[in-house]
């Protein structure tokens, strides 16, 4: 899991790699989809916790369960 973090100077960034997953040698990461997804989410969370103000919070990750949505309205066909 890699990242780029803005530093205090203009146009200065820290680029880093916190963890890597090799399917050929998974180590202690479970080799199923839920296990790999959890490993990635944990790794991403550790990066975000270092500088949460720099994370792009546009999607609903870690914001709780989304509200239930009603069915979309049925549009009438124009003949």
């Amino acid at each position: 899991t890699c990242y780029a973090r803005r530093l205090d100077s203009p146009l200065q960034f820290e680029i880093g790699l916190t963890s890597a997953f090799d399917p050929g040698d998974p180590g202690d990461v479970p080799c199923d989809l839920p296990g790999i997804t959890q490993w990635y989410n944990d790794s991403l969370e550790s990066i975000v916790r270092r500088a949460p103000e720099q994370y792009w919070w546009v999607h609903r990750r870690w914001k709780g369960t989304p509200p239930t949505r009603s069915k979309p309205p049925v549009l009438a066909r124009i003949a």
Side-chain angles (χ1 to χ4, degrees):
T1 310
C2 55
Y3 66 94
R5 184 175 64 96
R6 287 185 316 271
L7 300 175
D8 294 330
S9 302
L11 299 175
Q12 296 293 309
F13 296 89
E14 171 188 271
I15 297 176
L17 175 73
T18 60
S19 53
F21 175 71
D22 179 4
D25 183 19
D28 60 348
V29 178
C31 279
D32 60 343
L33 189 57
I36 295 168
T37 302
Q38 186 62 55
W39 167 83
Y40 178 77
N41 284 333
D42 293 344
S43 183
L44 181 59
E45 180 183 4
S46 72
I47 294 168
V48 172
R49 287 185 180 277
R50 293 180 199 165
E53 71 282 358
Q54 294 190 22
Y55 185 69
W56 191 27
W57 292 98
V58 72
H59 49 75
R60 297 198 54 82
R61 182 185 300 266
W62 302 308
K63 290 185 180 179
T65 306
T68 57
R69 297 174 69 184
S70 61
K71 290 184 178 182
V74 176
L75 301 175
R77 294 183 106 177
I78 299 174

